[in-house]
Amino acid sequence: MSEILVSGKQFHLRNARISYVFELVGDGIPAHVYLGRRLESLNSPVSQLFCGAQDEDYFHNTLALEKLPQEYPTFGHGDLRHGALDIEDAFGGNVLDLSYVFHEIVSGKPALPGLPASFDQQGESKTLSLVLADQKLGLTVTLLYTIFNDCDVIARSVSVKNDGTAAVRLNRVMSASIDFEDSDYSLITLSGAWARERSIDCRKLVCGIQGADSARGASSAQRSPFMALTRKGTDEDCGEAVGFALVYSGNFSATCEVCMYGMTRAQIGINDYQFSWLLNPGECFQTPEAVIAYSWEGLSGMSRAFHTLVSAHIVRGAFAHARRPLLLNNWEATTFNFDEEKLLKIARRGKEAGLEMFVLDDGWFGHRDDDHTSLGDWTENPRKLPTGLKGLSEKIHAMGLKFGLWFEPEMVSKDSDLYRAHPDWCLHQKDRTRTEGRFQLTLDMSRADVCEYVENAVASVLSRAEIDYVKWDMNRDMSPVGSALLPKERQRETAHRYMLGLYGVMERLTARFPKVLFESCASGGNRFDLGMMYYMPQAWCSDNTDAGSRCLIQYGTSLVFPQSTMGAHVSHAPNYQTGHITPLKTRADVAMCGTYGYELDLNTMSEEEFAQTIQDVKYVKAHRDTLLYGNLHRLSSPFETDLTAWMVVGQGEAVVTAIRMYARPNALTQRLRLKGLQEKADYLVEELNLCLSGAELMRYGLPLDFPAGDYQSLRFTLKKL
Ligand code: GLA
């Protein structure tokens, strides 16, 4: 069971596998002591260990705080590293003396007001609220720590309350900060761009500040709200790794500052660049939640901790553990160029292939025949859909398929009735150009009236047609950021207020339509984060559906996210983004490690390809519990070799996938060693008709006899005997 032990000034959070320890030093400053494998006890007062100081004034009267590993440091009062909290008081001052006031421990995991956050339905986790205050200013800072029972994760967040008499400006409020006593780590981040999201970047820590951030208004494809610190020698399965991720979808920063003494300060939270928040007396600011995973079993251990967290404590609703419908999306088949007849023809062929849901993508509303118009006007185009969404959805249902629909609710086109009626409803700054992205503007979700419009527009469509699934898209970053309703001194609150408004809309819509499966999308994977996952159990990984590119994208994504969250579809070859021609089997094998579907018109396939598609769909249906919810093991990294391999282990079976990018002439057969099996159990490898023990499969491995040609894949199905 997870527990929080308090002895003297020491707080020890632990579960069966990990411990997190901090102590109060001086007049109540929380000092970080330990994050690692479980300890029974830790008899090592930090004040002696790091500074040799017993004296209460020691920390405040010298620059000793600079040498103290802390839990929630501030700048300018003995510590000149970047603080976790930076304020401006009524006199322009920034000094804070935060010290312990009281603490409370409860079972379970409290929700965070207005924000997505991990939850614990079983009540097996424990949460500590550590209340600190700056008495002079009357600022109360509550650090929230939760230790989970079933995953090696600590959740942290912070609330700042102004109990004083004057307004305080918050210029920086990190969700979590940990000072590690050395810097002998490598830093891993996930970076990329549209169509090449979440590449694994790794470099050794150096003196100074390094990390990842976004100021684009979305968590972004450029850099994910995640970082990991790994020890020298840490690999996929061995060695220490500490992963940080943010349950948030907007601007963030995740940084490590290595100081002159070689300590590492790791911080994650809302990006302070372009941010500030005015806190009037009586008001409270709540940060997003940070989740920190600790593993001594390499990156795979870190990913296991995150995957369990996501499945058990982030994803909610009827679909959290449910089978997801195998879908057919018309986007790459038709783009904007369709009518009801064409859609029904595509859907019918999907049904023949065994698919379960037809999704109508962009272009069904207003007079949208290209991406220049109509966002915001969420009424059907009668030319394309003469019987409306109601008629179309009924016809799709009559075929025995579910029906899904695309929206981009946060956007407005200049050419729209909405924009003509409310030109000030978009993010903008007075008398400045309203920069367009994909010919559209971003609605100002920091405004209650805009949120109400968006919620009603989506709800009205969901109520008037039979809709089982929503693809919630967001296709541009925010710029310029500003709100017509906020006063001058609050303009830099806009981006975070936007997220709060958006989360409110998502909370109400998902509660009102609990039977609808929501998938988030943002030009593919521009907002693939834990915040979105709290409302929408799956997300479109990338607009790049090339099987080769997807090996990298899905492999990188899997560092934090389990396969049940990753939208992955088979699409046309040559691929629209890369021009690569990959075998249909490879495209299917790669997409199977995700929420499976197709992005093409199956009518254009040859009979042979269609027959294979029927087989692939059958295979996914037969193994989908394993494919979606089995434990994922990465076997070979596309970031290191031209062999990508992973496997998922479910109840009594496992599916192994290997993809080789380029044919190698005159090469010996490679062997692939498996993971996660039971050593003593026997397994039938169906495709080879071979019976091998778990030990043989994990130590000796399976032969990889790829067919000739580039981008070939192999799939093995293991049945436990
Ligand atoms: C984005 C999405 C695509 C598709 C288009 C439609 O790019 O990522 O999947 O929905 O918008 O405009």
Side-chain angles (χ1 to χ4, degrees):
M1 274 300 270
S2 61
E3 54 187 349
I4 298 178
L5 312 170
V6 184
S7 79
K9 293 183 171 183
Q10 189 184 77
F11 294 79
H12 185 162
L13 294 72
R14 71 180 179 200
N15 63 21
R17 291 162 52 90
I18 63 166
S19 282
Y20 187 107
V21 182
F22 65 86
E23 287 177 16
L24 300 174
V25 300
D27 53 2
I29 302 169
H32 181 74
V33 178
Y34 179 80
L35 168 58
R37 280 181 85 157
R38 177 187 160 106
L39 290 171
E40 292 316 309
S41 61
L42 183 55
N43 189 11
S44 214
V46 71
S47 51
Q48 284 173 18
L49 197 64
F50 292 99
C51 308
Q54 298 298 320
D55 171 9
E56 300 238 318
D57 286 337
Y58 176 81
F59 290 106
H60 286 171
N61 292 338
T62 71
L63 286 180
L65 279 179
E66 193 121 272
K67 297 179 194 156
L68 183 73
Q70 293 164 70
E71 285 291 302
Y72 206 66
T74 57
F75 175 82
H77 195 21
D79 185 352
L80 302 176
R81 294 169 287 175
H82 277 205
L85 176 63
D86 179 30
I87 60 109
E88 205 177 311
D89 65 22
F91 309 100
N94 66 349
V95 168
L96 278 174
D97 270 325
L98 290 180
S99 52
Y100 173 85
V101 183
F102 70 95
H103 71 270
E104 235 174 29
I105 294 170
V106 294
S107 291
K109 171 77 206 341
L112 300 186
L115 283 164
S118 59
F119 58 86
D120 173 21
Q121 266 163 352
Q122 318 307 330
E124 290 172 340
S125 56
K126 291 278 182 304
T127 299
L128 163 72
S129 311
L130 187 79
V131 181
L132 313 173
D134 179 281
Q135 303 295 354
K136 280 205 182 97
L137 214 55
L139 204 69
T140 306
V141 176
T142 304
L143 310 185
L144 221 60
Y145 295 79
T146 299
I147 173 127
F148 289 95
N149 191 42
D150 56 354
C151 56
D152 298 340
V153 173
I154 311 274
R156 285 186 60 177
S157 67
V158 177
S159 65
V160 182
K161 173 132 194 284
N162 187 349
D163 290 318
T165 51
V168 171
R169 183 174 286 284
L170 307 177
N171 288 325
R172 176 178 170 88
V173 205
M174 289 290 109
S175 299
S177 180
I178 300 184
D179 287 342
F180 296 99
E181 71 259 36
D182 67 81
S183 52
D184 196 11
Y185 291 100
S186 288
L187 172 66
I188 296 179
T189 50
L190 296 173
S191 64
W194 173 76
R196 36 185 178 83
E197 294 88 343
R198 291 173 294 285
S199 279
I200 300 176
D201 280 341
C202 181
R203 64 279 200 191
K204 263 198 74 60
L205 281 183
V206 294
C207 212
I209 295 179
Q210 52 243 275
D213 73 341
S214 164
R216 312 177 73 91
S219 49
S220 92
Q222 284 70 16
R223 293 183 279 270
S224 281
F226 159 80
M227 66 177 173
L229 290 172
T230 58
R231 283 294 189 194
K232 193 182 276 171
T234 292
D235 61 17
E236 182 62 20
D237 295 305
C238 299
E240 281 188 293
V242 189
F244 295 78
L246 200 63
V247 189
Y248 191 58
S249 315
N251 297 337
F252 76 92
S253 82
T255 55
C256 287
E257 177 176 5
V258 177
C259 73
M260 60 186 163
Y261 298 114
M263 278 198 278
T264 302
R265 172 164 290 176
Q267 297 188 327
I268 189 164
I270 292 178
N271 197 344
D272 64 351
Y273 181 61
Q274 303 296 327
F275 167 86
S276 91
W277 193 276
L278 195 63
L279 202 64
N280 281 322
E283 288 179 351
C284 187
F285 182 85
Q286 173 65 55
T287 72
E289 180 170 284
V291 284
I292 303 162
Y294 175 81
S295 157
W296 69 93
E297 293 159 332
L299 290 174
S300 67
M302 180 196 75
S303 297
R304 268 195 298 282
F306 277 133
H307 290 190
T308 307
L309 178 86
V310 174
S311 309
H313 303 291
I314 296 282
V315 176
R316 301 178 299 166
F319 294 94
H321 307 288
R323 295 181 169 178
R324 311 285 172 76
L326 307 187
L327 68 85
L328 172 61
N329 178 303
N330 74 306
W331 175 244
E332 290 199 14
T334 66
T335 62
F336 299 99
N337 183 16
F338 59 82
D339 57 19
E340 190 185 86
E341 201 184 318
K342 200 168 181 182
L343 297 177
L344 291 174
K345 191 172 168 217
I346 294 173
R348 213 168 288 122
R349 196 63 168 158
K351 175 68 186 168
E352 283 164 21
L355 294 171
E356 297 163 330
M357 179 161 74
F358 174 74
V359 177
L360 172 55
D361 211 279
D362 196 354
W364 56 266
F365 49 91
H367 56 275
R368 190 160 163 98
D369 289 325
D370 56 35
D371 53 10
H372 288 57
T373 88
S374 302
L375 291 168
D377 298 345
W378 300 107
T379 43
E380 298 91 320
N381 178 340
R383 182 175 48 79
K384 290 181 179 176
L385 304 178
T387 64
L389 285 169
K390 186 167 180 342
L392 176 64
S393 61
E394 283 168 4
K395 286 173 198 155
I396 298 285
H397 278 155
M399 284 180 200
L401 290 171
K402 289 176 186 296
F403 179 67
L405 191 63
W406 180 96
F407 284 93
E408 199 179 354
E410 300 157 64
M411 297 293 155
V412 63
S413 305
K414 271 195 171 163
D415 176 17
S416 66
D417 294 342
L418 181 66
Y419 189 73
R420 282 182 282 273
H422 299 287
D424 59 339
W425 272 19
C426 64
L427 293 176
H428 66 281
Q429 291 179 12
K430 198 166 178 311
D431 298 335
R432 293 284 174 188
T433 306
R434 298 175 176 203
T435 314
E436 292 174 43
R438 207 195 185 197
F439 315 103
Q440 63 199 50
L441 298 165
T442 310
L443 284 174
D444 178 0
M445 302 292 287
S446 75
R447 296 173 61 134
D449 49 2
V450 172
C451 289
E452 195 186 328
Y453 173 83
V454 167
E455 183 181 338
N456 289 340
V458 175
S460 149
V461 177
L462 296 188
S463 310
R464 69 171 182 265
E466 297 175 10
I467 295 169
D468 306 288
Y469 158 106
V470 166
K471 178 176 173 186
W472 183 297
D473 210 340
M474 196 283 290
N475 279 322
R476 63 157 297 179
D477 290 327
M478 294 180 199
S479 136
V481 180
S483 172
L485 283 196
L486 289 173
K488 171 178 156 281
E489 63 278 13
R490 290 197 182 271
Q491 283 298 321
R492 287 193 181 210
E493 298 176 12
T494 309
H496 181 58
R497 286 186 184 275
Y498 179 108
M499 294 318 308
L500 295 177
L502 175 64
Y503 287 147
V505 170
M506 288 182 171
E507 178 68 38
R508 291 188 293 278
L509 280 174
T510 50
R512 222 166 128 186
F513 298 97
K515 291 190 183 146
V516 174
L517 169 62
F518 285 82
E519 173 156 350
S520 81
C521 174
S523 302
N526 198 40
R527 217 165 47 180
F528 203 110
D529 58 64
L530 295 170
M532 280 295 137
M533 243 138 244
Y534 181 73
Y535 305 98
M536 310 198 174
Q538 55 193 60
W540 185 225
C541 251
S542 176
D543 278 349
N544 185 348
T545 45
D546 172 74
S549 305
R550 276 298 184 120
C551 286
L552 294 148
I553 294 167
Q554 293 175 207
Y555 193 99
T557 304
S558 80
L559 280 196
V560 183
F561 300 96
Q563 63 276 19
S564 58
T565 64
M566 292 187 215
H569 301 167
V570 176
S571 70
H572 192 261
N575 182 268
Y576 293 151
Q577 281 79 28
T578 62
H580 288 155
I581 299 175
T582 52
L584 180 61
K585 177 175 182 304
T586 305
R587 280 175 270 153
D589 284 346
V590 173
M592 280 179 199
C593 194
T595 56
Y596 191 75
Y598 287 78
E599 292 272 318
L600 48 78
D601 183 353
L602 301 176
N603 291 293
T604 61
M605 283 183 164
S606 67
E607 281 308 316
E608 195 188 321
E609 285 175 325
F610 190 67
Q612 195 194 313
T613 296
I614 292 176
Q615 292 312 314
D616 290 336
V617 170
K618 256 195 201 142
Y619 185 89
V620 175
K621 283 183 177 171
H623 301 283
R624 72 167 137 194
D625 291 341
T626 299
L627 290 167
L628 264 187
Y629 295 112
N631 293 326
L632 178 76
H633 297 268
R634 293 178 294 258
L635 305 176
S636 178
S637 167
F639 296 96
E640 289 163 15
T641 74
D642 86 336
L643 177 71
T644 305
W646 52 57
M647 65 187 285
V648 281
V649 182
Q651 293 295 328
E653 66 169 15
V655 177
V656 182
T657 310
I659 303 102
R660 190 195 55 192
M661 299 289 171
Y662 305 110
R664 195 182 314 159
N666 188 23
L668 296 178
T669 299
Q670 255 178 295
R671 266 184 289 114
L672 181 68
R673 287 196 268 178
L674 307 189
K675 292 178 187 172
L677 302 173
Q678 291 171 20
E679 295 241 337
K680 293 200 174 124
D682 286 327
Y683 295 86
L684 174 67
V685 186
E686 288 185 346
E687 289 75 4
L688 303 177
N689 198 19
L690 251 183
C691 181
L692 295 165
S693 70
E696 285 170 295
L697 287 162
M698 292 193 291
R699 295 187 202 147
Y700 184 75
L702 279 177
L704 295 181
D705 280 321
F706 285 102
D710 293 342
Y711 304 112
Q712 294 294 336
S713 71
L714 293 169
R715 188 202 314 146
F716 302 102
T717 317
L718 274 52
K719 283 272 173 235
K720 192 170 146 215
L721 300 172

